[in-house]
Amino acid sequence: MEPKENGKQLGRTLDGPTNPMVTPLLNDLYQFTMAYAYWKAGKHNERSVFDLYFRKNPFGGEYTVFAGLEECIKFLANFKLSDEEIDFVRDCLPGSEEAFCDYLRGLDCSGVEVYAIPEGSVVFPKVPLMRVEGPVGVVQLLETSFLNLVNFASLVATNAARHRFVAGKSKILLEFGARRAQGPDGAISASKYCYLGGFDATSNVAAGKLFGIPLRGTHSHAFVSSFMSTDEIVDKVLHSSDGKTTCEDFVSLVQTWLTKIQYSPSLRGIFSETNHSELVAFTSYALAFPKAFLALVDTYDVMKSGIPNFCAVALALNDFGYKALGIRLDSGDLAYLSTEVRNFFCTVERELKVPGFGEMIITASNDLNEETIDALNKQGHEVDAFGIGTYLVTCYAQAALGCVFKLVEINNQPRIKLSEDVTKVSIPCKKRSYRLYGKEGYPLVDIMTGENEPPPKVGERLLCRHPFNESKRAYVVPQRVEELLKCYWRGNADEAREELPPLNEIRDRCIKQLENMRPDHMRRLNPTPYKVSVSAKLYDFIHFLWLNEAPVGELQ
Amino acid sequence: MEPKENGKQLGRTLDGPTNPMVTPLLNDLYQFTMAYAYWKAGKHNERSVFDLYFRKNPFGGEYTVFAGLEECIKFLANFKLSDEEIDFVRDCLPGSEEAFCDYLRGLDCSGVEVYAIPEGSVVFPKVPLMRVEGPVGVVQLLETSFLNLVNFASLVATNAARHRFVAGKSKILLEFGARRAQGPDGAISASKYCYLGGFDATSNVAAGKLFGIPLRGTHSHAFVSSFMSTDEIVDKVLHSSDGKTTCEDFVSLVQTWLTKIQYSPSLRGIFSETNHSELVAFTSYALAFPKAFLALVDTYDVMKSGIPNFCAVALALNDFGYKALGIRLDSGDLAYLSTEVRNFFCTVERELKVPGFGEMIITASNDLNEETIDALNKQGHEVDAFGIGTYLVTCYAQAALGCVFKLVEINNQPRIKLSEDVTKVSIPCKKRSYRLYGKEGYPLVDIMTGENEPPPKVGERLLCRHPFNESKRAYVVPQRVEELLKCYWRGNADEAREELPPLNEIRDRCIKQLENMRPDHMRRLNPTPYKVSVSAKLYDFIHFLWLNEAPVGELQ
């Protein structure tokens, strides 16, 4: 995974995309057949403008988090077909002329400009996330990879944001999806974009290393069932946390505590005999990580075995100055169990006088998603941290976002894509977009205008029109106007473009923007749609062009 | 994407996994914390046996296609932590001893054995797809990547097989999902495993190059709307297919044909005026690919514009010895439109005496999935080829398969994982599995036995028991017995293991096995579950162990 060097040729050095498989061949074949046909017609250098946008927010919601931009720009900066790749493309286009290979050989993105909404922004349907301009032959070759890099990134970041919303700000959210993700890079991208969307940490070590995301993890059921007897623990010594004292036989100490718990009048009756191999596994794990003891307590039976075993080890650690971190539940009724566990911890704190014991972290996992967390909230629970895998990283509730990449102008001529389905009609023209904010500081509406229209002004009344519905329009007096598209790539003109911020900054932007949305847009049930509009002038032009292009029917 | 070299150390050279991001760090952190705890307890070299299996067939069906094995073996063969990776791991495990790094440094899979069902096989719940044996410290580190590599591969291969089943053997199935897939590698793996599951081709150029999958693709709506006037076609010359004659003005010839169609008494009335820019785009595309002219005909209006324009170009090509391939429909009522188009093509064939014109390929795309293809079949349609994207590659109907990796034996001691949910109880012991075939040649039942039980014999009556349901059992007299698990990795003992067959052979196996299933297991609505069983001896042992491990409740 060496960073590619080509980026250097186009100004500041930019590494290639995270995944080395992202090359110009990560492409639909028709982009190359079209490139050839453009070239053959001598049209390949015609200046084109494409908009990348989606038509509908995912997950039944009314917002989306935009992600994937950095990877697109890194791809662009390193866009270069190797000779081997060119040979392959030629073989895919039978009858193509050799000179086309020369054209491909010379191809890079020095003539391309990319304007985009900053990554991590909250975004809405129809408003371009990216506007890509340049010679049609090259820009066409970017379509598939850009869509691929943006679609899943935005989808999973949005999914993470939705999970954060339902879990609440105070909970710890852990992404545990590597094993169930759609392939290796599905896992690594999911880890990256879940963090961007507001998660706190991941279990995915590769993602931790690549992106600096905090890592979390303890042990599995297999670890617990791999132990059978106390004899397996050879080294029973534990040095105290301050290094001053030594416990020569930690195993016996744990056993003593277990007996003490079992015979405590206030705790007795909750369990009779605990699973011994589980106790050995916990003891062994604590000896390996005395400072970070967090145990999975449901291998046999949470309340009858896991919790007393855990407490015995935690109390033994406590004797030598270590605070156990807590437990993880991976099955059963998480609302009930977490509450029972919390009560037990509090009883131990009270009865055995161990300050802080009641506040240990209770982590829950096991096929969690928005709905189950919502249900837990309604039932009442004592979970501090949620470990979420499958439903989060595969976006199980809706596995794809439908971003499209549409030609809106070529040779300064606006183009429209018609469809019998009005939601699929594209908004023509090279455009600008603005977000208008109201008195209370919330965003009110996004508006698209023609490239050369004067921008909306603070305090000035402005007509915002629904792009396709004549009767939907509203006057707005913006208190703040934010231009949405910023330049992230302008060929060689390096100084002109925005920096690509580090992941943490993108994440902060995302969290801030989500918090700044009017609450009714964000709620899970029947959220209010956020308004997306066009200027009166653009509205008129769209409908002029539409009438011009659409065939007139004949009733027969 | 250099193939890794480590594989060589362990016998025959095996390249690394397709995706260079598949490294030992593509792992859950807890695999490393456990490795450390095993090592700290001196248990890391204990011989362990893990089963990789799933619990439920996906998509409401009763079968699954197993895929991903080759990538697992390539990963295994090259498993080696770099110094940089080891440093990172150490930093993730605060308080860990330096000697653990030496252990990690020496780690490889020379002590590991992998037995697996051949890739491309039809498989069923609970039966191990892979049995992984070796030192617990190493095998534990393989869990996450193996699950990641098998889960999505098997899921998407199964999805492809299901789409093939509903479309029928005679249809051409094209995978068009690159832009909507879950990340770059989601796209490339989907292309690979859809082909394995019975698709004919992909649009994904990278997948075509990496795996030798046939490629397909033509042009998009943007190509059509990028043209405006005939003047854009500079070079109007077309040489005939036999090279003997030349058409000096192909553009005029197309126009002549269009007029002829428009004034033909039998065709007239279907359309009045076609979209001119579409005609120019088709003409231009045909000049670039006269041998492979296939046009997207729905940019403006299929019957009023796209089809007459296409036919004009196709007829002009025909004059110079070229056969147009056909069309693609990407919107509207595909049943109705494909039938109308077919009728029109047949009328052209008849009226204008162009043999074969009626048989041109009609391709359909636009959010197709199992349901929509089934609905098309019920309505009647004339589609020859389906281009399927989003729903196929993201496995939209069920975005994850739940393969698990469970410890079944350590130090020759069988282990069971209990759960209050009986479907989650694991089947203990190092096992063998067999597929038993009946008189009609169909597979009847899969049976698992203990490692040392004598294998089932052809013609000998055998009791097959449901692993957890006492009352479900049946006698079987197999006509053929197939042992399912074959050795794919045995450390350094190279000669002993199965070859990894090329993708085409895996695909053939898959198609053959699917065809050989009893039809009632395969149907979409209420399929019959295929039986999975254990031997009487294994049944007894499971239940002995279960009682032994489960805590006895106390009613209070």
PDB file of all heavy atoms in Angstrom, chain B residues 346-369:
ATOM      1  N   CYS B 346     -39.591  -6.906 -35.523  1.00  0.00           N
ATOM      2  CA  CYS B 346     -40.100  -7.960 -36.418  1.00  0.00           C
ATOM      3  C   CYS B 346     -40.795  -7.355 -37.633  1.00  0.00           C
ATOM      4  O   CYS B 346     -40.674  -7.872 -38.751  1.00  0.00           O
ATOM      5  CB  CYS B 346     -41.054  -8.883 -35.647  1.00  0.00           C
ATOM      6  SG  CYS B 346     -40.181  -9.912 -34.439  1.00  0.00           S
ATOM      7  N   THR B 347     -41.517  -6.257 -37.387  1.00  0.00           N
ATOM      8  CA  THR B 347     -42.160  -5.583 -38.517  1.00  0.00           C
ATOM      9  C   THR B 347     -41.101  -5.061 -39.493  1.00  0.00           C
ATOM     10  O   THR B 347     -41.223  -5.217 -40.714  1.00  0.00           O
ATOM     11  CB  THR B 347     -43.028  -4.408 -38.011  1.00  0.00           C
ATOM     12  OG1 THR B 347     -43.885  -4.906 -36.993  1.00  0.00           O
ATOM     13  CG2 THR B 347     -43.864  -3.819 -39.130  1.00  0.00           C
ATOM     14  N   VAL B 348     -40.048  -4.462 -38.943  1.00  0.00           N
ATOM     15  CA  VAL B 348     -38.964  -3.972 -39.801  1.00  0.00           C
ATOM     16  C   VAL B 348     -38.370  -5.144 -40.593  1.00  0.00           C
ATOM     17  O   VAL B 348     -38.167  -5.046 -41.821  1.00  0.00           O
ATOM     18  CB  VAL B 348     -37.867  -3.268 -38.967  1.00  0.00           C
ATOM     19  CG1 VAL B 348     -36.631  -2.987 -39.820  1.00  0.00           C
ATOM     20  CG2 VAL B 348     -38.402  -1.974 -38.372  1.00  0.00           C
ATOM     21  N   GLU B 349     -38.124  -6.243 -39.917  1.00  0.00           N
ATOM     22  CA  GLU B 349     -37.560  -7.414 -40.599  1.00  0.00           C
ATOM     23  C   GLU B 349     -38.436  -7.836 -41.777  1.00  0.00           C
ATOM     24  O   GLU B 349     -37.949  -8.083 -42.871  1.00  0.00           O
ATOM     25  CB  GLU B 349     -37.403  -8.575 -39.608  1.00  0.00           C
ATOM     26  CG  GLU B 349     -37.081  -9.907 -40.289  1.00  0.00           C
ATOM     27  CD  GLU B 349     -36.487 -10.978 -39.369  1.00  0.00           C
ATOM     28  OE1 GLU B 349     -36.278 -10.715 -38.169  1.00  0.00           O
ATOM     29  OE2 GLU B 349     -36.209 -12.072 -39.880  1.00  0.00           O
ATOM     30  N   ARG B 350     -39.738  -7.893 -41.495  1.00  0.00           N
ATOM     31  CA  ARG B 350     -40.705  -8.348 -42.496  1.00  0.00           C
ATOM     32  C   ARG B 350     -40.873  -7.336 -43.625  1.00  0.00           C
ATOM     33  O   ARG B 350     -40.748  -7.662 -44.792  1.00  0.00           O
ATOM     34  CB  ARG B 350     -42.053  -8.570 -41.779  1.00  0.00           C
ATOM     35  CG  ARG B 350     -42.973  -9.576 -42.416  1.00  0.00           C
ATOM     36  CD  ARG B 350     -44.177  -9.860 -41.525  1.00  0.00           C
ATOM     37  NE  ARG B 350     -44.798  -8.637 -41.034  1.00  0.00           N
ATOM     38  CZ  ARG B 350     -44.914  -8.307 -39.729  1.00  0.00           C
ATOM     39  NH1 ARG B 350     -44.464  -9.127 -38.797  1.00  0.00           N
ATOM     40  NH2 ARG B 350     -45.490  -7.181 -39.365  1.00  0.00           N
ATOM     41  N   GLU B 351     -41.120  -6.095 -43.226  1.00  0.00           N
ATOM     42  CA  GLU B 351     -41.465  -5.079 -44.232  1.00  0.00           C
ATOM     43  C   GLU B 351     -40.255  -4.659 -45.063  1.00  0.00           C
ATOM     44  O   GLU B 351     -40.370  -4.412 -46.256  1.00  0.00           O
ATOM     45  CB  GLU B 351     -42.025  -3.830 -43.535  1.00  0.00           C
ATOM     46  CG  GLU B 351     -43.316  -4.062 -42.781  1.00  0.00           C
ATOM     47  CD  GLU B 351     -44.478  -4.363 -43.709  1.00  0.00           C
ATOM     48  OE1 GLU B 351     -44.544  -3.747 -44.791  1.00  0.00           O
ATOM     49  OE2 GLU B 351     -45.304  -5.237 -43.360  1.00  0.00           O
ATOM     50  N   LEU B 352     -39.134  -4.546 -44.376  1.00  0.00           N
ATOM     51  CA  LEU B 352     -37.950  -4.043 -45.090  1.00  0.00           C
ATOM     52  C   LEU B 352     -37.005  -5.177 -45.482  1.00  0.00           C
ATOM     53  O   LEU B 352     -35.930  -4.936 -46.014  1.00  0.00           O
ATOM     54  CB  LEU B 352     -37.219  -3.007 -44.216  1.00  0.00           C
ATOM     55  CG  LEU B 352     -38.097  -1.826 -43.780  1.00  0.00           C
ATOM     56  CD1 LEU B 352     -37.332  -0.880 -42.864  1.00  0.00           C
ATOM     57  CD2 LEU B 352     -38.623  -1.040 -44.994  1.00  0.00           C
ATOM     58  N   LYS B 353     -37.447  -6.392 -45.216  1.00  0.00           N
ATOM     59  CA  LYS B 353     -36.704  -7.595 -45.625  1.00  0.00           C
ATOM     60  C   LYS B 353     -35.251  -7.585 -45.139  1.00  0.00           C
ATOM     61  O   LYS B 353     -34.308  -7.638 -45.915  1.00  0.00           O
ATOM     62  CB  LYS B 353     -36.764  -7.761 -47.164  1.00  0.00           C
ATOM     63  CG  LYS B 353     -38.169  -7.601 -47.725  1.00  0.00           C
ATOM     64  CD  LYS B 353     -38.486  -8.578 -48.816  1.00  0.00           C
ATOM     65  CE  LYS B 353     -39.972  -8.654 -49.115  1.00  0.00           C
ATOM     66  NZ  LYS B 353     -40.865  -7.659 -48.496  1.00  0.00           N
ATOM     67  N   VAL B 354     -35.121  -7.465 -43.803  1.00  0.00           N
ATOM     68  CA  VAL B 354     -33.771  -7.520 -43.206  1.00  0.00           C
ATOM     69  C   VAL B 354     -33.721  -8.737 -42.293  1.00  0.00           C
ATOM     70  O   VAL B 354     -34.154  -8.682 -41.142  1.00  0.00           O
ATOM     71  CB  VAL B 354     -33.473  -6.252 -42.368  1.00  0.00           C
ATOM     72  CG1 VAL B 354     -31.995  -6.199 -42.019  1.00  0.00           C
ATOM     73  CG2 VAL B 354     -33.908  -5.008 -43.102  1.00  0.00           C
ATOM     74  N   PRO B 355     -33.197  -9.855 -42.779  1.00  0.00           N
ATOM     75  CA  PRO B 355     -33.216 -11.077 -41.980  1.00  0.00           C
ATOM     76  C   PRO B 355     -32.480 -10.877 -40.647  1.00  0.00           C
ATOM     77  O   PRO B 355     -31.430 -10.235 -40.605  1.00  0.00           O
ATOM     78  CB  PRO B 355     -32.466 -12.100 -42.842  1.00  0.00           C
ATOM     79  CG  PRO B 355     -32.395 -11.501 -44.203  1.00  0.00           C
ATOM     80  CD  PRO B 355     -32.506 -10.026 -44.071  1.00  0.00           C
ATOM     81  N   GLY B 356     -33.040 -11.411 -39.583  1.00  0.00           N
ATOM     82  CA  GLY B 356     -32.396 -11.352 -38.271  1.00  0.00           C
ATOM     83  C   GLY B 356     -32.714 -10.106 -37.474  1.00  0.00           C
ATOM     84  O   GLY B 356     -32.401 -10.031 -36.287  1.00  0.00           O
ATOM     85  N   PHE B 357     -33.311  -9.120 -38.123  1.00  0.00           N
ATOM     86  CA  PHE B 357     -33.567  -7.852 -37.422  1.00  0.00           C
ATOM     87  C   PHE B 357     -34.480  -8.060 -36.200  1.00  0.00           C
ATOM     88  O   PHE B 357     -34.333  -7.385 -35.187  1.00  0.00           O
ATOM     89  CB  PHE B 357     -34.195  -6.831 -38.379  1.00  0.00           C
ATOM     90  CG  PHE B 357     -33.897  -5.399 -38.018  1.00  0.00           C
ATOM     91  CD1 PHE B 357     -32.778  -4.762 -38.522  1.00  0.00           C
ATOM     92  CD2 PHE B 357     -34.739  -4.692 -37.166  1.00  0.00           C
ATOM     93  CE1 PHE B 357     -32.499  -3.434 -38.177  1.00  0.00           C
ATOM     94  CE2 PHE B 357     -34.464  -3.376 -36.806  1.00  0.00           C
ATOM     95  CZ  PHE B 357     -33.338  -2.743 -37.323  1.00  0.00           C
ATOM     96  N   GLY B 358     -35.393  -9.004 -36.335  1.00  0.00           N
ATOM     97  CA  GLY B 358     -36.329  -9.257 -35.234  1.00  0.00           C
ATOM     98  C   GLY B 358     -35.688  -9.895 -34.020  1.00  0.00           C
ATOM     99  O   GLY B 358     -36.250  -9.873 -32.927  1.00  0.00           O
ATOM    100  N   GLU B 359     -34.504 -10.475 -34.222  1.00  0.00           N
ATOM    101  CA  GLU B 359     -33.867 -11.196 -33.096  1.00  0.00           C
ATOM    102  C   GLU B 359     -32.815 -10.388 -32.343  1.00  0.00           C
ATOM    103  O   GLU B 359     -32.029 -10.952 -31.585  1.00  0.00           O
ATOM    104  CB  GLU B 359     -33.208 -12.478 -33.600  1.00  0.00           C
ATOM    105  CG  GLU B 359     -34.179 -13.624 -33.769  1.00  0.00           C
ATOM    106  CD  GLU B 359     -34.354 -13.997 -35.222  1.00  0.00           C
ATOM    107  OE1 GLU B 359     -33.362 -14.391 -35.858  1.00  0.00           O
ATOM    108  OE2 GLU B 359     -35.488 -13.848 -35.730  1.00  0.00           O
ATOM    109  N   MET B 360     -32.767  -9.109 -32.614  1.00  0.00           N
ATOM    110  CA  MET B 360     -31.739  -8.321 -31.933  1.00  0.00           C
ATOM    111  C   MET B 360     -31.939  -8.361 -30.422  1.00  0.00           C
ATOM    112  O   MET B 360     -33.049  -8.533 -29.924  1.00  0.00           O
ATOM    113  CB  MET B 360     -31.757  -6.884 -32.430  1.00  0.00           C
ATOM    114  CG  MET B 360     -30.872  -6.730 -33.673  1.00  0.00           C
ATOM    115  SD  MET B 360     -30.690  -5.035 -34.166  1.00  0.00           S
ATOM    116  CE  MET B 360     -32.386  -4.593 -34.406  1.00  0.00           C
ATOM    117  N   ILE B 361     -30.819  -8.191 -29.718  1.00  0.00           N
ATOM    118  CA  ILE B 361     -30.854  -8.295 -28.254  1.00  0.00           C
ATOM    119  C   ILE B 361     -31.582  -7.112 -27.625  1.00  0.00           C
ATOM    120  O   ILE B 361     -31.279  -5.960 -27.923  1.00  0.00           O
ATOM    121  CB  ILE B 361     -29.417  -8.356 -27.683  1.00  0.00           C
ATOM    122  CG1 ILE B 361     -28.738  -9.657 -28.105  1.00  0.00           C
ATOM    123  CG2 ILE B 361     -29.423  -8.234 -26.154  1.00  0.00           C
ATOM    124  CD1 ILE B 361     -27.268  -9.696 -27.740  1.00  0.00           C
ATOM    125  N   ILE B 362     -32.522  -7.418 -26.768  1.00  0.00           N
ATOM    126  CA  ILE B 362     -33.158  -6.389 -25.954  1.00  0.00           C
ATOM    127  C   ILE B 362     -32.648  -6.551 -24.525  1.00  0.00           C
ATOM    128  O   ILE B 362     -32.872  -7.567 -23.880  1.00  0.00           O
ATOM    129  CB  ILE B 362     -34.692  -6.497 -26.006  1.00  0.00           C
ATOM    130  CG1 ILE B 362     -35.172  -6.304 -27.456  1.00  0.00           C
ATOM    131  CG2 ILE B 362     -35.344  -5.474 -25.067  1.00  0.00           C
ATOM    132  CD1 ILE B 362     -36.664  -6.507 -27.660  1.00  0.00           C
ATOM    133  N   THR B 363     -31.901  -5.532 -24.089  1.00  0.00           N
ATOM    134  CA  THR B 363     -31.347  -5.547 -22.739  1.00  0.00           C
ATOM    135  C   THR B 363     -32.215  -4.650 -21.861  1.00  0.00           C
ATOM    136  O   THR B 363     -32.664  -3.601 -22.321  1.00  0.00           O
ATOM    137  CB  THR B 363     -29.913  -4.988 -22.735  1.00  0.00           C
ATOM    138  OG1 THR B 363     -29.154  -5.670 -23.741  1.00  0.00           O
ATOM    139  CG2 THR B 363     -29.232  -5.172 -21.397  1.00  0.00           C
ATOM    140  N   ALA B 364     -32.439  -5.085 -20.624  1.00  0.00           N
ATOM    141  CA  ALA B 364     -33.188  -4.238 -19.703  1.00  0.00           C
ATOM    142  C   ALA B 364     -32.360  -3.985 -18.459  1.00  0.00           C
ATOM    143  O   ALA B 364     -31.668  -4.876 -17.975  1.00  0.00           O
ATOM    144  CB  ALA B 364     -34.501  -4.910 -19.324  1.00  0.00           C
ATOM    145  N   SER B 365     -32.428  -2.757 -17.971  1.00  0.00           N
ATOM    146  CA  SER B 365     -31.796  -2.444 -16.686  1.00  0.00           C
ATOM    147  C   SER B 365     -32.794  -1.567 -15.919  1.00  0.00           C
ATOM    148  O   SER B 365     -33.957  -1.532 -16.267  1.00  0.00           O
ATOM    149  CB  SER B 365     -30.434  -1.780 -16.894  1.00  0.00           C
ATOM    150  OG  SER B 365     -30.514  -0.727 -17.818  1.00  0.00           O
ATOM    151  N   ASN B 366     -32.335  -0.901 -14.861  1.00  0.00           N
ATOM    152  CA  ASN B 366     -33.169  -0.025 -14.020  1.00  0.00           C
ATOM    153  C   ASN B 366     -33.708  -0.742 -12.783  1.00  0.00           C
ATOM    154  O   ASN B 366     -34.854  -1.205 -12.764  1.00  0.00           O
ATOM    155  CB  ASN B 366     -34.350   0.588 -14.804  1.00  0.00           C
ATOM    156  CG  ASN B 366     -35.061   1.680 -13.982  1.00  0.00           C
ATOM    157  OD1 ASN B 366     -34.444   2.301 -13.134  1.00  0.00           O
ATOM    158  ND2 ASN B 366     -36.343   1.872 -14.228  1.00  0.00           N
ATOM    159  N   ASP B 367     -32.880  -0.766 -11.775  1.00  0.00           N
ATOM    160  CA  ASP B 367     -33.292  -1.273 -10.452  1.00  0.00           C
ATOM    161  C   ASP B 367     -33.951  -2.644 -10.501  1.00  0.00           C
ATOM    162  O   ASP B 367     -34.974  -2.876  -9.834  1.00  0.00           O
ATOM    163  CB  ASP B 367     -34.233  -0.258  -9.774  1.00  0.00           C
ATOM    164  CG  ASP B 367     -33.473   0.967  -9.282  1.00  0.00           C
ATOM    165  OD1 ASP B 367     -32.224   0.911  -9.268  1.00  0.00           O
ATOM    166  OD2 ASP B 367     -34.108   1.963  -8.928  1.00  0.00           O
ATOM    167  N   LEU B 368     -33.373  -3.542 -11.267  1.00  0.00           N
ATOM    168  CA  LEU B 368     -33.927  -4.898 -11.341  1.00  0.00           C
ATOM    169  C   LEU B 368     -33.510  -5.718 -10.125  1.00  0.00           C
ATOM    170  O   LEU B 368     -32.449  -5.514  -9.556  1.00  0.00           O
ATOM    171  CB  LEU B 368     -33.426  -5.588 -12.607  1.00  0.00           C
ATOM    172  CG  LEU B 368     -33.930  -4.995 -13.921  1.00  0.00           C
ATOM    173  CD1 LEU B 368     -33.248  -5.662 -15.101  1.00  0.00           C
ATOM    174  CD2 LEU B 368     -35.444  -5.138 -14.041  1.00  0.00           C
ATOM    175  N   ASN B 369     -34.358  -6.643  -9.771  1.00  0.00           N
ATOM    176  CA  ASN B 369     -34.016  -7.610  -8.728  1.00  0.00           C
ATOM    177  C   ASN B 369     -34.852  -8.870  -8.942  1.00  0.00           C
ATOM    178  O   ASN B 369     -35.592  -8.973  -9.928  1.00  0.00           O
ATOM    179  CB  ASN B 369     -34.236  -7.001  -7.336  1.00  0.00           C
ATOM    180  CG  ASN B 369     -35.664  -6.549  -7.116  1.00  0.00           C
ATOM    181  OD1 ASN B 369     -36.598  -7.074  -7.725  1.00  0.00           O
ATOM    182  ND2 ASN B 369     -35.839  -5.581  -6.253  1.00  0.00           N
TER     183      ASN B 369
END
